[in-house]
Amino acid sequence: MNTILGCIADDFTGATDLASLLARSGAPINIRLGTPSPDVETGDESITAPAAAPFEIIALKCRTSPVEEAVSETRNALYWLQARGARQFYWKYCSTFDSTDQGNIG
């Protein structure tokens, strides 16, 4: 199954808020904590990661990360979503401005 909408959230709370809204559609949703590895979805081969869903949400911790790390992490999430067929994307960012003076919000 290809992903219809790929979402990247800057934290877990934002990811779950978005998932609750998308759940109203009735379509399957996956929330991924961090970007899965492109080759090995889990570190434990005895665990099978869920197949891609129509709505994929990747929860990052990039809001308070150093800028270079946040950009890299976010791009990796985008590439992972694109590899699963997503052609539409949504960036869920924090609704409060609590990053550092050198922060990366926006």
Side-chain angles (χ1 to χ4, degrees):
M1 177 179 306
N2 277 348
T3 299
I4 297 168
L5 177 65
C7 306
I8 302 170
D10 67 355
D11 64 9
F12 182 71
T13 304
T16 58
D17 289 347
L18 181 56
S20 68
L21 292 172
L22 292 173
R24 295 177 186 177
S25 73
I29 299 167
N30 285 334
I31 297 179
R32 313 250 181 192
L33 305 180
T35 304
S37 167
D39 298 322
V40 180
E41 301 246 343
T42 67
D44 182 346
E45 293 184 19
S46 66
I47 299 172
T48 303
F55 296 140
E56 284 285 340
I57 303 170
I58 297 178
L60 302 177
K61 293 182 180 181
C62 61
R63 181 167 22 111
T64 55
S65 300
V67 175
E68 296 80 20
E69 183 180 320
V71 170
S72 176
E73 191 176 13
T74 303
R75 282 187 179 149
N76 288 339
L78 174 65
Y79 301 149
W80 189 90
L81 292 166
Q82 289 173 325
R84 267 108 203 120
R87 297 292 175 255
Q88 294 184 342
F89 304 93
Y90 182 78
W91 169 242
K92 170 63 175 90
Y93 56 88
C94 182
S95 58
T96 62
F97 292 90
D98 58 353
S99 57
T100 67
D101 292 340
Q102 298 80 29
N104 53 28
I105 195 148

